[in-house]
Amino acid sequence: HNAEAAKDAQRAFESVFQKRGIPEEIEEYTTIANRVDGGLYSMDISIALIEKGLVKSRGELKRLIAQQAIEVNGDKIDSTTVNIPSGSVVQVGKRRFLKILISDTNA
């Protein structure tokens, strides 16, 4: 590893962990959902978060929601059912991220 790669790694670390930014590379989850309004889709995010290992169970997910530790696009959520646009980023705690890509069920 050269010095430039080390500097890039340091900048990425500072952005994500010190400045609470979003990493450039985020694991993606693709699903289908019903369009509810404009570009928003209604979906239950619990399946995506459990399947991708961001939470271990629905119980853990409910506890994290109650503690306001889950955000979608920077907004804290209060339910597993959310209305979101495709490409939304879900953040669990400080360091776990998932991008949700949605196709319309009516397409």
Side-chain angles (χ1 to χ4, degrees), residues 57-104:
S57 65
R58 287 185 186 273
E60 179 187 15
L61 177 60
K62 288 179 182 178
R63 179 182 58 77
L64 290 168
I65 289 173
Q67 294 173 350
Q68 296 191 327
I70 299 182
E71 297 180 1
V72 175
N73 297 328
D75 296 322
K76 295 186 185 319
I77 62 169
D78 58 8
S79 168
T80 60
T81 302
V82 293
N83 293 335
I84 59 174
S86 183
S88 293
V89 175
V90 179
Q91 181 177 355
V92 179
K94 293 180 182 179
R95 298 186 174 114
R96 293 176 282 179
F97 297 88
L98 182 67
K99 182 180 282 188
I100 307 285
L101 302 175
I102 305 171
S103 298
D104 196 331

Side-chain angles (χ1 to χ4, degrees), residues 20-60:
R20 296 180 153 240
I22 296 174
E24 290 180 17
E25 293 185 24
I26 302 174
E27 187 170 9
E28 295 179 348
Y29 180 84
T30 304
T31 188
I32 57 172
N34 291 319
R35 185 184 298 263
V36 290
D37 183 37
L40 298 179
Y41 297 88
S42 178
M43 70 170 290
D44 181 346
I45 62 166
S46 62
I47 297 165
L49 296 179
I50 292 169
E51 248 183 56
K52 290 297 185 176
L54 274 72
V55 296
K56 294 179 179 122
S57 65
R58 287 185 186 273
E60 179 187 15

